Amino acid sequence: MTQPQPIPDTQWSRWEVFKQDAPNRPWQAVGSVHAGDPDHALLTARNVFARRPSAVSLWTVRESDILTATPEELETRPEVQDTPGEAGTYHLGLKRTHKRSMTFVDLVGTLEASGPGDALRQAREAHPDALTWLVFPESGVVRTDDDPGTVESWFAPAKDKTYKQQQYYGVIGKHVGELKREGKMPGRVNEEPHVGDHKVYDHPHDKAPKVQR
Amino acid sequence: MTLSGQPSAVSSQQGTLTPQLQAVLIRKLTALADDEIILAHRGGEWTGHAPILEEDIALANIAQDELGHATLYLDLRRALDGSDADQLAFFRNAGEFTNVRLVELPKGDWAFTMLRQFLFDAYEALWLDAARGSTYAPLAEVAAKAVREERFHLQHTALWVERLALGTEESRRRTQNALDELWPHVAQLFAPVPGEAELVAAGIVPDLGEVRARWEGFVVPHLTGKCGLLLPLTLADAAEGRDVHTEHLAPLLAEMQGVARQHANAEVW
């Protein structure tokens, strides 16, 4: 019997994407992309995360340059704070709430550290209540430049576009809204999944209490 | 996807055109829109099939942008003759479409797709850049709006062509094959529609010769210098007009128009 060969990892690197919605707003982690190199990562990030909602700046950071930890992780593995790496300026991100579904971490500033572990230790001291700390070196950031040409072709088009729900796009004939106003729509057209009278899932933004069993 | 937009404010401009210029402008706007519609369909064929999820999203975005540009052109046309964009897109036959043959070729592999999109994006970005100076204000406005997206498309596809050409032996071979196949078709991008010289003389549309010079100044160094590809020594394919198509357009339209034609009177679906 032959031993199974290990399957080589052919995935491109993962890059975390940070988006700034408007000047003077924090960069926020919005998700990740896979890409072969920094330029590709940035272009892909724009396609995936900044085509509709408005943005003014995008950063991508290679996932392997990012060190994260939760309070629980630091308790069980305190040696994370000894993670070695280059000394210099580190960006600090914090996850402070579970409530938001689209953005996970806000970047809150920079600090000088002797390495990523040290940056994490400082982050914990300065923000003891965070749910997660995230640090990465300034040298790892790939940014969109802020020259007018980039801003105009990467971010300006999105400002003219309103985000529309799927049902907006009637293909031929009248838009659903028009038919509704004319009283031609039988019943609801966009019912949420339900069983009997109960929704089958709860949305984190819902105010209503869960159904009692 | 509907191409009908909101009534635009351009109708006040049509009084400034002679009937002759108006007829040629309608022909030109339709040709511009047809290129975008057909290319968008080919791009859309990758949805769910692109090499990685991120590129699936990216190409779908690009295809949607191209369809948006078609909408812009057809809105300009409607202001001139009251035509309906959906009727034009979904109820004309292959013989009535006036797209260039470059955009109707089957989608091929990823190298073919990225290279075709690169060649077209460069043409479109430079044409739009020049069209921002149109004496026909509605077209100048549309060009100023669309050129922004097109510059980004061009960055994306130029990056992909470079990486495929300089990637592995196989990706290089595929990219060169794509160039060999596509290159004979590019000349048609710069062939005017009948009567276009009058539009150029009136400053309504850019001179395609000048656009081509800028296009070659950008595309050729990228392909040969940066990417190390060999330009094929092929003759131009512009002699036949935009009413002559390959055998690939009719099946594409059958797919694209199928639902609309089966449910021509549908009010909602």
Side-chain angles (χ1 to χ4, degrees), chain B residues 31-123:
Chain B
L32 290 164
D34 285 353
D35 286 350
E36 308 269 15
I37 292 169
I38 302 302
L39 184 60
H41 185 84
R42 287 295 185 218
E45 287 178 339
W46 278 99
T47 304
H49 300 277
I52 62 167
L53 177 63
E54 287 87 339
E55 288 301 330
D56 204 302
I57 294 168
L59 190 57
N61 282 344
I62 286 172
Q64 210 175 23
D65 285 345
E66 306 294 23
L67 209 54
H69 299 169
T71 307
L72 294 173
Y73 293 133
L74 293 180
D75 282 350
L76 292 182
R77 174 174 165 170
R78 184 180 48 200
L80 295 172
D81 67 356
S83 56
D84 180 84
D86 286 336
Q87 283 295 320
L88 291 170
F90 296 112
F91 295 94
R92 275 184 305 157
N93 298 317
E96 299 166 279
F97 266 80
T98 58
N99 57 281
V100 292
R101 289 177 284 281
L102 176 82
V103 297
E104 71 195 35
L105 300 173
K107 79 180 201 298
D109 60 16
W110 188 247
F112 184 90
T113 298
M114 286 293 105
L115 185 58
R116 165 165 57 190
Q117 190 73 41
F118 167 71
L119 297 171
F120 187 87
D121 289 343
Y123 149 77

Side-chain angles (χ1 to χ4, degrees), chain A residues 29-101:
Chain A
V30 289
S32 59
V33 294
H34 292 88
D37 57 74
D39 289 342
H40 185 207
L42 211 50
L43 276 160
T44 308
R46 188 275 186 184
N47 274 315
V48 174
F49 291 107
R51 188 169 179 269
R52 273 292 184 276
S54 64
V56 295
S57 169
L58 278 180
W59 294 4
T60 55
V61 181
R62 206 186 288 265
E63 196 270 338
S64 56
D65 284 339
I66 299 175
L67 183 63
T68 65
T70 63
E72 296 76 15
E73 282 169 336
L74 283 189
E75 202 131 307
T76 50
R77 294 201 313 121
E79 64 272 21
V80 171
Q81 294 168 95
D82 302 324
T83 304
E86 62 182 271
T89 303
Y90 279 76
H91 291 274
L92 164 59
L94 300 176
K95 178 180 166 72
R96 289 181 279 211
T97 168
H98 291 301
K99 280 181 187 162
R100 304 188 67 183
S101 56

Side-chain angles (χ1 to χ4, degrees), chain A residues 12 33-34 37 39-40 43-44 46-47 51 152-154 156-157 160-161 170-174 176 179, chain B residues 1-2 52 54-55 57-58 61 64-65 145 148-149 151-152 155-156 159-160 163 260 266-269:
Chain A
W12 285 331
V33 294
H34 292 88
D37 57 74
D39 289 342
H40 185 207
L43 276 160
T44 308
R46 188 275 186 184
N47 274 315
R51 188 169 179 269
E152 199 184 63
S153 70
W154 284 50
D160 299 336
K161 294 172 179 169
V171 180
I172 283 193
K174 293 189 179 181
V176 172
L179 292 168
Chain B
M1 184 170 305
T2 184
I52 62 167
E54 287 87 339
E55 288 301 330
I57 294 168
N61 282 344
Q64 210 175 23
D65 285 345
K145 192 174 176 186
R148 303 174 309 180
E149 286 177 339
R151 282 198 196 116
F152 182 79
Q155 274 186 278
H156 180 258
L159 174 138
W160 261 105
R163 277 150 185 73
E267 289 208 315
V268 60
W269 39 288

Side-chain angles (χ1 to χ4, degrees), chain B residues 192-238:
Chain B
V193 299
E196 186 165 334
E198 295 170 50
L199 292 179
V200 176
I204 294 172
V205 298
D207 178 69
L208 284 170
E210 288 170 20
V211 175
R212 182 172 192 166
R214 286 185 68 194
W215 183 86
E216 287 180 355
F218 175 79
V219 163
V220 173
H222 186 77
L223 294 176
T224 58
K226 202 163 196 176
C227 302
L229 296 167
L230 299 171
L231 279 194
L233 297 168
T234 44
L235 292 172
D237 176 58

